[in-house]
Amino acid sequence: MSRAEVMRLVRFCEVGATNTAVTLVAYGLLVHAGCPGWLASALGFAAGAANGYHWNARWTFADRRREGDDGARLRYVAVQGAGSAASALGVLAAHHALGLAHLASEIVILPVVTVLTYGLMRTVVFPVRPTPDRALSA
């Protein structure tokens, strides 16, 4: 893995940490304002995901971003859904198959889901931009 790719992965993890903070703050504020927990959770997750798209598009994958690629937002939402499903299924499997507590299961599955979603962000949401050199060789 190149140094540039390692740095991109580090930025991806930093954005993920801010997503978590945004999610938790939004959740806390919404619950404090009287919002039901399930709705506050969904809205908090959406706020964290919006933060993630903003920073991943402008910082983590800025060198791969294509202007006018409106499909990137939809692909981002799909990857977030896949990551959420993988996390839920992984926690369920680790809890039942390995007998781990829920928190331990989350800790075990988190790195796997991070690598999965990073790979999907890199290849599906923000794929390599075509350059004139690549277009001519095709």
Side-chain angles (χ1 to χ4, degrees), residues 31-90:
V31 167
H32 182 72
C35 187
W38 65 268
L39 182 56
S41 179
L43 294 172
F45 182 85
N51 176 75
Y53 179 79
H54 175 83
W55 288 109
N56 279 316
R58 286 167 182 73
W59 185 46
T60 308
F61 298 101
D63 61 326
R64 300 167 75 99
R65 187 168 171 236
R66 292 178 284 185
E67 291 301 320
D69 183 6
D70 294 331
R73 285 183 184 91
L74 182 58
R75 294 189 305 270
Y76 181 84
V77 169
V79 167
Q80 288 295 308
S84 179
S87 181
L89 292 173

Side-chain angles (χ1 to χ4, degrees), residues 16-136:
T18 65
N19 294 350
T20 301
V22 167
T23 298
L24 292 174
V25 167
Y27 175 82
L29 290 171
L30 288 165
V31 167
H32 182 72
C35 187
W38 65 268
L39 182 56
S41 179
L43 294 172
F45 182 85
N51 176 75
Y53 179 79
H54 175 83
W55 288 109
N56 279 316
R58 286 167 182 73
W59 185 46
T60 308
F61 298 101
D63 61 326
R64 300 167 75 99
R65 187 168 171 236
R66 292 178 284 185
E67 291 301 320
D69 183 6
D70 294 331
R73 285 183 184 91
L74 182 58
R75 294 189 305 270
Y76 181 84
V77 169
V79 167
Q80 288 295 308
S84 179
S87 181
L89 292 173
V91 167
L92 185 67
H95 178 68
H96 289 292
L98 302 176
L100 297 177
H102 289 293
L103 181 58
S105 298
E106 180 69 26
I107 291 168
V108 166
I109 198 62
L110 183 61
V112 175
V113 172
T114 299
V115 170
L116 169 72
T117 55
Y118 176 77
L120 291 171
M121 290 291 173
R122 189 174 174 277
T123 59
V124 175
V125 179
F126 303 109
V128 174
R129 293 184 287 183
T131 63
D133 294 341
R134 286 192 190 115
L136 292 175

